[in-house]
Amino acid sequence: MSIVKINAITVPADSGDELGRRFAAHGGSMAGVAGFEGFELLRPTDGRTQWLVLTRWADEQSFEAWKSSQDFARAHGRGPGSGAAASGRPAPVGTSSELWSYTVAVEQQ
């Protein structure tokens, strides 16, 4: 059964569109990652400042392998030559984040 990882990112109200643009610019970057099943970026509509990055994985091992990979480190501004100063990357949009983990209890299609 799939597992779901949700990264709840707190984003100032005036920075949400930038977060969306950055994720859109990396569309397809997860293609071919073992165990990756899907991704959605959810924009709040009720005044909240938390955007949700929802990913679905085949299993916990696949998620952990990706999280330990060089691709993850580069995409998240970690590792050699990946920092904002070194790569010209813009500063983070979010002010904090929290990772939530779930399994699918009931699925309907």
Side-chain angles (χ1 to χ4, degrees):
M1 168 121 347
S2 297
I3 64 163
V4 175
K5 299 293 183 173
I6 300 171
N7 189 4
I9 305 172
T10 302
V11 180
D14 61 346
S15 299
D17 289 340
E18 178 60 19
L19 181 70
R21 279 191 290 277
R22 290 183 189 185
F23 270 93
H26 291 93
S29 66
M30 296 294 289
V33 173
F36 177 74
E37 297 178 348
F39 155 86
E40 293 175 284
L41 176 64
L42 306 178
R43 174 194 317 255
T45 60
D46 60 2
R48 296 173 201 253
T49 59
Q50 281 187 313
W51 287 56
L52 303 180
V53 180
L54 188 143
T55 57
R56 191 178 271 244
W57 297 86
D59 51 48
E60 187 70 29
Q61 294 78 13
S62 297
F63 172 74
E64 289 298 327
W66 171 72
K67 211 169 88 173
S68 299
S69 73
Q70 290 181 352
D71 289 337
F72 176 90
R74 275 192 298 276
H76 292 83
R78 302 178 190 128
S82 62
S87 66
R89 287 173 52 112
V93 174
T95 58
S96 65
S97 68
E98 194 177 339
L99 182 64
W100 304 338
S101 299
Y102 294 85
T103 58
V104 177
V106 176
E107 183 170 16
Q108 296 182 358
Q109 302 225 343

